[in-house]
Amino acid sequence: MDTREGMTTEHPENAAAFVANDARLKWHDESLWFVRQKRDRATSVIPEWETLRALGADIKAHTLSRLADYLEEFEQKATALGAHVHFARDAEEHNRIVHGLLARANVTRVVKSKSMLTEQCGLNHYLEAHGIEVIDTDLGERIVQLRHEPPSHIVMPAIHLKKEEIGDLFHDTMGAASGTSDPKVLTEVARGRLRGNLLAAQAGITGVNFAIAETGGVVVCTNEGNADLGTSIPPLHIACMGIEKVIPRAKDLGVFLRLLARSATGQPVTAYSSHFHGPRPGGELHIVIVDHGRSAILGREHYRRTLQCIRCGACMNTCPVYRRSGGHSYGVTVPGPLGAVLAPHIDPKKHRSLPFASTLCGSCSDVCPVQIDLHQQLLLWRGELGHAELIPLRKRAASQLAGWVLARTWAYEFLGRIARWILPKLPKALLRANDWGRQRELPPAPKESFRELYRRRRGQ
Ligand code: SF4
């Protein structure tokens, strides 16, 4: 599902580079935890929050069980409203369709609001290679675009950067005064530039958060209003969506809008929920619906639930591994627990390290607004990759040994006794020589195991 080239997804190696900068690591961890806490506060004031989650999950599961029917209904209704609907098998076909539409209208300048799908398809590079200038209008997306790097988070693409770094970037690229790091001033500088780009654009590309089968309309959620601006001025609007974005009825939208903003940023609602029902007067609306590996996931029962995702990013904000290793360490457009589940479907060998980038604490599943069992799926992937012999021999041997010991009480107790005897005698330097041990203190070894304690007390 990711066309990014030249990136390895050897997560441990990539994460090591991020972890090497202690200050950035701490600040990144704290920033995301701050968003997670905002989410907690926003959800705690909704007494029916868990009911809402269950309802969202049920609607999505139902939609997936009849996906072809709902897509067909959506196509009919959208076409009746005057939109043109296109289906693309994969990223390549998607890019070809979008380029064809732009070329037919002689478009050379296009503005784009945030869309993870077009990131996954590598649309910007494709269009630029065909002589079309693409300007991302979401501020975070624009920042990473100017840095020639991918987003590190699906909702906050530039969360890995400090305001001073953005100040330097805007000084170099947008003429901001040297040393400016006030976010308000920097936003004004970017706003001034983007207004010019929006006015000069000949076409607007957006993603789609929800496509309503009942009405044929699409809904795009932004906090900056850039989807509205990008599609109000130019006559051509191209909306790109994955097949899983469809929802059955207009009244389902309320459930997802309430879940999305609170889970993503802790806001009661996204600042702009833009509804597009057919093209604007005198304009053209094209909706490109992309599969790109999704129907293969739909066919895999245990993994199907990942298609319920509404791309809120909450699983990333809460994940202790994501917070401490940064989004780029995953080497895919969608990082974090969600990306670690999605990426191996495309190339299990290339992305084999990702399901191990998790403590399996289950926090991702706990916060997911549509109840996706992410940590269970990560565990499933580990088993699959192990059976396919795609994980390193050392890790496989260690897992097999652990399995053997844990299945035999006598071996577990015997090794436990040895460990309790030997651990206090080991020099501390030995622990420090190990990556894992460098940041940890071992607690003093207990004199007896829990089983021994239990037996002794029961015997009393
Ligand atoms: S998997 Fe759940 S928590 Fe993660 S982005 Fe999707 S909806 Fe949000």
Side-chain angles (χ1 to χ4, degrees):
M1 204 160 293
D2 201 288
T3 59
R4 201 182 300 176
E5 285 173 11
M7 296 286 296
T8 154
T9 59
E10 287 306 326
H11 184 265
E13 282 81 17
N14 295 344
F18 187 84
V19 169
N21 185 335
D22 253 355
R24 187 184 296 273
L25 167 66
K26 188 166 180 295
W27 155 82
H28 188 265
D29 180 22
E30 286 172 358
S31 306
L32 287 154
W33 189 245
F34 173 75
V35 184
R36 157 73 210 256
Q37 286 177 315
K38 265 182 81 187
R39 173 257 173 217
D40 289 350
R41 283 194 294 276
T43 59
S44 66
V45 295
I46 307 283
E48 71 278 20
W49 180 252
E50 289 306 318
T51 311
L52 209 55
R53 283 180 77 212
L55 190 55
D58 284 351
I59 295 169
K60 280 283 183 175
H62 163 77
T63 315
L64 291 174
S65 73
R66 294 187 46 203
L67 190 58
D69 295 339
Y70 283 122
L71 283 170
E72 217 170 283
E73 186 182 346
F74 173 75
E75 183 195 13
Q76 282 165 8
K77 299 281 170 60
T79 307
L81 290 172
H84 302 270
V85 179
H86 311 259
F87 287 91
R89 190 182 308 272
D90 52 23
E92 210 190 318
E93 195 173 358
H94 161 265
N95 292 348
R96 252 200 334 266
I97 291 172
V98 175
H99 174 240
L101 294 168
L102 296 173
R104 205 195 57 193
N106 295 321
V107 170
T108 53
R109 288 187 309 271
V110 61
V111 285
K112 184 161 80 66
S113 75
K114 188 148 67 61
S115 150
M116 281 303 115
L117 173 74
T118 57
E119 283 288 338
Q120 286 173 332
C121 294
L123 181 66
N124 284 17
H125 292 142
Y126 186 92
L127 294 181
E128 281 157 8
H130 286 81
I132 295 174
E133 184 190 19
V134 186
I135 302 284
D136 277 304
T137 54
D138 172 272
L139 183 54
E141 281 284 308
R142 184 67 183 139
I143 291 168
V144 293
Q145 186 184 31
L146 287 169
R147 285 174 59 95
H148 308 290
E149 64 183 19
S152 69
H153 189 287
I154 61 172
V155 175
M156 299 165 283
I159 189 72
H160 59 291
L161 296 170
K162 292 191 145 191
K163 56 184 193 292
E164 290 77 14
E165 290 169 301
I166 296 167
D168 291 344
L169 176 74
F170 283 12
H171 171 63
D172 294 342
T173 57
M174 295 192 191
S178 170
T180 312
S181 62
D182 180 343
K184 249 187 113 181
V185 177
L186 293 173
T187 307
E188 282 307 321
V189 171
R191 189 195 295 258
R193 279 302 183 99
L194 283 170
R195 284 281 150 128
N197 298 131
L198 286 159
L199 288 169
Q202 299 156 313
I205 299 176
T206 66
V208 170
N209 289 87
F210 306 101
I212 308 163
E214 182 185 35
T215 64
V218 295
V219 180
V220 185
C221 302
T222 70
N223 271 326
E224 298 165 26
N226 51 315
D228 291 304
L229 283 171
T231 54
S232 305
I233 302 165
L236 175 60
H237 173 191
I238 303 174
C240 305
M241 59 176 264
I243 55 172
E244 80 287 8
K245 295 289 181 188
V246 72
I247 57 172
R249 300 159 303 182
K251 70 177 181 185
D252 299 328
L253 192 60
V255 175
F256 294 110
L257 291 181
R258 292 182 79 195
L259 288 169
L260 177 63
R262 286 183 172 86
S263 302
T265 53
Q267 293 166 258
V269 73
T270 318
Y272 298 86
S273 297
S274 312
H275 296 242
F276 300 95
H277 282 79
R280 68 179 175 80
E284 256 182 64
L285 170 63
H286 291 263
I287 303 167
V288 187
I289 304 178
V290 188
D291 184 320
H292 197 43
R294 286 162 174 80
S295 45
I297 299 177
L298 189 64
R300 303 192 69 186
E301 197 188 335
H302 298 304
Y303 295 103
R304 186 175 299 158
R305 278 167 79 176
T306 39
L307 295 177
Q308 295 177 192
C309 177
I310 57 171
R311 300 290 193 270
C312 70
C315 54
M316 289 150 218
N317 305 341
T318 199
C319 175
V321 176
Y322 173 89
R323 283 190 278 119
R324 293 173 180 84
S325 60
H328 288 159
S329 64
Y330 292 78
V332 283
T333 301
V334 177
L338 172 64
V341 169
L342 288 176
H345 286 287
I346 296 300
D347 189 339
K349 190 170 177 200
K350 183 177 176 194
H351 304 300
R352 64 192 169 188
S353 73
L354 295 188
F356 294 88
S358 168
T359 61
L360 297 184
C361 64
S363 187
C364 47
S365 308
D366 284 347
V367 298
C368 178
V370 283
Q371 298 184 328
I372 300 173
D373 53 345
L374 288 160
H375 71 296
Q376 298 288 0
Q377 298 200 25
L378 289 168
L379 188 59
L380 266 179
W381 264 123
R382 290 185 188 188
E384 261 196 51
L385 294 169
H387 288 306
E389 304 197 347
L390 285 175
I391 55 177
L393 187 62
R394 209 171 55 160
K395 195 173 257 178
R396 250 185 297 144
S399 302
Q400 272 161 10
L401 181 65
W404 189 88
V405 171
L406 292 170
R408 288 161 183 82
T409 313
W410 67 265
Y412 182 74
E413 290 195 352
F414 175 68
L415 287 172
R417 229 170 279 141
I418 292 183
R420 284 195 298 282
W421 175 76
I422 210 164
L423 277 176
K425 297 179 178 48
L426 285 179
K428 281 207 164 163
L430 209 62
L431 187 66
R432 300 277 176 269
N434 175 289
D435 281 346
W436 185 86
R438 217 163 284 143
Q439 296 187 16
R440 289 173 175 82
E441 285 296 338
L442 275 186
K447 289 198 170 37
E448 58 187 348
S449 70
F450 175 76
R451 280 168 184 274
E452 288 165 345
L453 179 74
Y454 185 72
R455 273 190 222 120
R456 184 163 57 77
R457 294 225 174 141
R458 279 195 79 188
Q460 274 172 3

